[in-house]
């Protein structure tokens, strides 16, 4: 399957990177490395995750983030990567607008 990270998910990654880099230099890069490794794991595990608002949701192991994706034909589309510490209403609004 082909793996594609959509524009909104890329923006989510950049936002997370900036947040963690402000906390401590280098942590933003660790965040990106960790999330990209987990996204790559979708090549093996796509489709096994619980559904939420029409998306499959994979929880990150190292950071409080969730990867929301869909499978469309032979493509895995990573739609959003959201901070689980946010208000659930905000998360729902982001998923409905994306």
């Amino acid at each position: 399957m082909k793996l594609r990270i959509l524009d909104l998910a890329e923006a989510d990654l950049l936002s997370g990177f900036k947040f963690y880099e402000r906390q401590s230099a280098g942590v933003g890069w660790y965040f990106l490395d960790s999330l990209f490794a987990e996204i790559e794991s979708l090549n093996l595990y796509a489709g096994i995750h619980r559904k939420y608002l029409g998306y499959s949701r994979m929880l990150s192991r190292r950071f409080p983030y969730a990867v929301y994706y869909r499978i469309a034909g032979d493509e895995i589309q990573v739609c959003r990567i959201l901070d689980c510490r946010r208000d659930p209403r905000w998360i729902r609004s982001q998923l409905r607008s994306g």
Side-chain angles (χ1 to χ4, degrees):
M1 288 189 134
K2 181 181 174 189
L3 184 60
R4 185 165 66 126
I5 301 174
L6 302 181
D7 292 342
L8 286 173
E10 284 184 11
D12 295 335
L13 283 170
L14 182 59
S15 176
F17 168 80
K18 289 177 180 178
F19 171 79
Y20 284 109
E21 263 315 285
R22 283 192 303 269
Q23 306 310 306
S24 181
V27 178
W29 292 108
Y30 181 63
F31 168 78
L32 287 180
D33 287 343
S34 297
L35 268 289
F36 278 124
E38 297 198 41
I39 291 167
E40 284 293 322
S41 78
L42 290 174
N43 284 313
L44 296 173
Y45 301 113
I48 69 165
H49 303 97
R50 180 168 281 168
K51 297 274 187 175
Y52 182 76
L53 295 176
Y55 296 90
S56 294
R57 180 177 69 178
M58 175 180 65
L59 299 175
S60 172
R61 293 178 187 204
R62 292 180 188 94
F63 290 90
Y65 276 72
V67 177
Y68 296 90
Y69 68 93
R70 289 186 173 147
I71 299 173
D74 67 339
E75 184 174 75
I76 303 162
Q77 299 173 344
V78 176
C79 303
R80 296 304 302 257
I81 302 166
L82 301 175
D83 188 338
C84 294
R85 297 170 295 183
R86 298 293 299 259
D87 184 325
R89 291 174 294 193
W90 180 86
I91 292 173
R92 281 192 298 272
S93 73
Q94 294 299 302
L95 292 174
R96 288 188 179 124
S97 67

